[in-house]
Amino acid sequence: MEKKYLFSPGPTMLPAQVLLRMAEPIMHHREPEFEKIFAEIREGLRYLFQTKQEVLVFTSSGTGAMEGAVSNILSKGDRALVVRGGKFGERWGEICKAYGIDFIPIDVEWGRAVDPKKIEQILESNPPIRAVYTQATETSTGVRHPIKEIAEIVRRFEDTVIVVDAITGIGVFDIPMDAWGIDVLISGSQKALMLPPGLAFAALSDKAWKFVERSDLPKYYFDFKKELKSAKKNQSSYTPAISLFVGLRETLKMIREEGLEAVFRRHERLASATRAAVKALGLELFAPETPSNALTAIKIPEGIDGSKLQDLFFERFGITVAEGQDRAKGKIIRIAHLGYYERLDMIMVISALEMLLKEMGYAFELGSGVRAAEEVLMA
Ligand SMILES: *Cc1c(COP(=O)(O)O)cnc(C)c1O
């Protein structure tokens, strides 16, 4: 028999009740019934993003909202600052390049968080920089960037906005948009939102909407102004991923019932347990100083083939974990715990890790990782 488990940082595992709702016969997106669902979703997203602003929904993967956060915010000749500490930071630079936007990169060593002081220095010495692009979690390295501190700095610059790709931040840890003064906050469906891929989200502050007003970069599908107008009528501008909207209503309800605080605490617990297990096994975290609660990136020990380890997870146990990308390829594996995960899920994946490491000849005491995780989970 074969049973499969996703422990990759997107897509993640889905609750059965959400799958069932999405399997229902499809409705038409201009029906009153769909508009009712849309209205509920708008409310739920405001709660999730901790904002009074409208949260726009696009039918695309998360990158669609990232692209929109360049093409709607900036204008020809604008300059940006891009935090590049991994694959997703690089993506901000690639999108800027595609739109002819000149940008200053801050290249951060993979596995480390950006130093907010560097951002401050560059903003002070290179005016005008219109936007600072960063991640809440750099998913390729497992790092959490200091968004609150960066937002505090950017807030002092009247003509600069902070744009945060929180695709692996929202629904994982506290990132209150309005309270922290985040100007553009982005998410996607296939991570902590417990849905299949296919939806992207973006919310904008009043300051960011002013940037949209003057933006003259080309845009069509990802047109924030047009989508805002539609959303206010409980509509989307084009045919939305109707089944995903139906699923989203369900997962937003689940998040609301659990409560954001409890959701954050659960992620903190699962992440702490995983990190404790890693240390107990004599392994090292790839982001030891600033690990995100979304996923745990583990350094592959000397003599162990990282790609082989990832393959064996699937071959032996049907478990998908992520390996490293680019320069981290073969050097790390990444285990996700964002979204629909509970305590025993982590025990399972840690146990699988132990059995595979044993098989591959790594020396440690069997059960030591599981025990360390159990101790955290029982505390
Ligand atoms: C998953 C992810 C994305 C979006 O990738 P898509 O494949 O377009 O959904 C962007 N940024 C981060 C940090 C991510 O983890």
Side-chain angles (χ1 to χ4, degrees):
M1 189 184 86
E2 197 180 71
K3 205 166 164 179
K4 286 183 186 156
Y5 309 90
L6 283 179
F7 280 91
S8 50
T12 58
M13 286 199 273
L14 308 182
Q17 65 265 44
V18 175
L19 288 169
L20 284 170
R21 292 310 308 271
M22 290 190 301
E24 285 171 9
I26 196 158
M27 65 181 79
H28 195 278
H29 58 288
R30 305 296 180 209
E31 279 172 21
E33 193 189 347
F34 187 77
E35 287 176 15
K36 215 177 124 240
I37 291 172
F38 203 120
E40 259 183 64
I41 285 172
R42 290 172 64 200
E43 257 324 288
L45 286 172
R46 282 204 179 95
Y47 172 75
L48 179 67
F49 277 59
Q50 303 186 65
T51 184
K52 62 174 179 31
Q53 303 286 352
E54 189 72 43
V55 182
L56 306 176
V57 187
F58 294 95
T59 291
S60 77
S61 81
T63 305
M66 292 175 73
E67 176 163 343
V70 171
S71 63
N72 286 265
I73 294 293
L74 299 178
S75 297
K76 286 172 193 147
D78 280 356
R79 253 183 338 150
L81 190 160
V82 169
V83 174
R84 284 199 306 203
K87 279 298 276 183
F88 293 102
E90 286 172 6
R91 186 166 300 178
W92 279 131
E94 286 158 13
I95 297 170
C96 284
K97 189 156 172 262
Y99 281 89
I101 293 295
D102 183 25
F103 67 93
I104 300 178
I106 298 186
D107 286 315
V108 184
E109 190 188 331
W110 283 36
R112 295 198 186 275
V114 68
D115 179 359
K117 280 202 206 79
K118 280 218 176 106
I119 293 176
E120 188 173 32
Q121 279 166 9
I122 293 177
L123 289 181
E124 275 168 359
S125 53
N126 295 273
I129 283 173
R130 296 277 191 230
V132 175
Y133 289 94
T134 186
Q135 268 67 39
T137 297
E138 174 48 79
T139 316
S140 62
T141 65
V143 161
R144 178 175 173 173
H145 286 307
I147 297 305
K148 183 167 188 246
E149 289 76 6
I150 301 170
E152 258 163 36
I153 291 164
V154 175
R155 206 199 303 229
R156 300 202 324 259
F157 296 82
E158 214 175 291
D159 219 15
T160 311
V161 290
I162 172 168
V163 181
V164 182
D165 159 10
I167 294 176
T168 43
I170 284 179
V172 179
F173 47 78
D174 200 20
I175 176 159
M177 174 165 165
D178 293 355
W180 286 4
I182 295 167
D183 295 303
V184 184
L185 193 57
I186 289 168
S187 192
S189 55
Q190 79 273 32
K191 315 265 169 116
L193 263 65
M194 306 178 281
L195 289 168
L199 296 179
F201 309 95
L204 280 70
S205 68
D206 293 336
K207 188 178 175 186
W209 278 115
K210 287 194 192 117
F211 281 51
V212 174
E213 280 305 324
R214 70 169 183 224
S215 164
D216 62 0
L217 290 180
K219 46 190 139 311
Y220 189 82
Y221 183 80
F222 297 102
D223 183 329
F224 286 5
K225 249 165 73 180
K226 186 164 37 173
E227 211 55 49
L228 177 66
K229 245 171 108 181
S230 303
K232 286 184 170 160
K233 294 182 283 187
N234 294 319
Q235 298 265 342
S236 62
S237 302
Y238 310 99
T239 313
I242 296 165
S243 306
L244 291 180
F245 273 63
V246 170
L248 175 61
R249 172 173 65 171
E250 207 62 29
T251 60
L252 288 171
K253 219 189 283 170
M254 286 173 67
I255 290 170
R256 198 145 205 176
E257 274 164 18
E258 187 178 357
L260 269 187
E261 284 301 318
V263 168
F264 300 150
R265 269 201 310 277
R266 173 165 55 83
H267 283 87
E268 161 70 34
R269 230 169 159 203
L270 302 185
S272 301
T274 310
R275 296 195 283 257
V278 167
K279 286 176 195 159
L281 291 170
L283 301 172
E284 280 176 64
L285 297 171
F286 189 59
E289 287 149 23
T290 50
S292 170
N293 287 342
L295 74 157
T296 298
I298 307 168
K299 276 194 195 168
I300 304 290
E302 205 66 46
I304 302 282
D305 178 340
S307 298
K308 173 105 187 287
L309 176 61
Q310 191 217 13
D311 290 346
L312 284 178
F313 258 107
F314 193 76
E315 275 170 37
R316 297 278 187 273
F317 302 113
I319 292 176
T320 300
V321 296
E323 63 174 333
Q325 299 160 285
D326 277 1
R327 68 188 86 165
K329 199 170 172 66
K331 294 189 187 140
I332 60 172
I333 57 158
R334 295 172 296 145
I335 295 175
H337 27 69
L338 78 164
Y340 189 55
Y341 296 88
E342 245 297 1
R343 288 165 294 176
L344 293 182
D345 295 318
M346 301 329 294
I347 294 297
M348 175 174 67
V349 74
I350 292 161
S351 168
L353 173 65
E354 288 193 7
M355 290 189 270
L356 294 175
L357 286 173
K358 205 40 126 189
E359 176 181 336
M360 294 176 85
Y362 177 69
F364 69 102
E365 192 192 333
L366 206 54
S368 54
V370 167
R371 185 203 298 154
E374 285 171 345
E375 275 162 4
V376 172
L377 296 175
M378 287 169 69

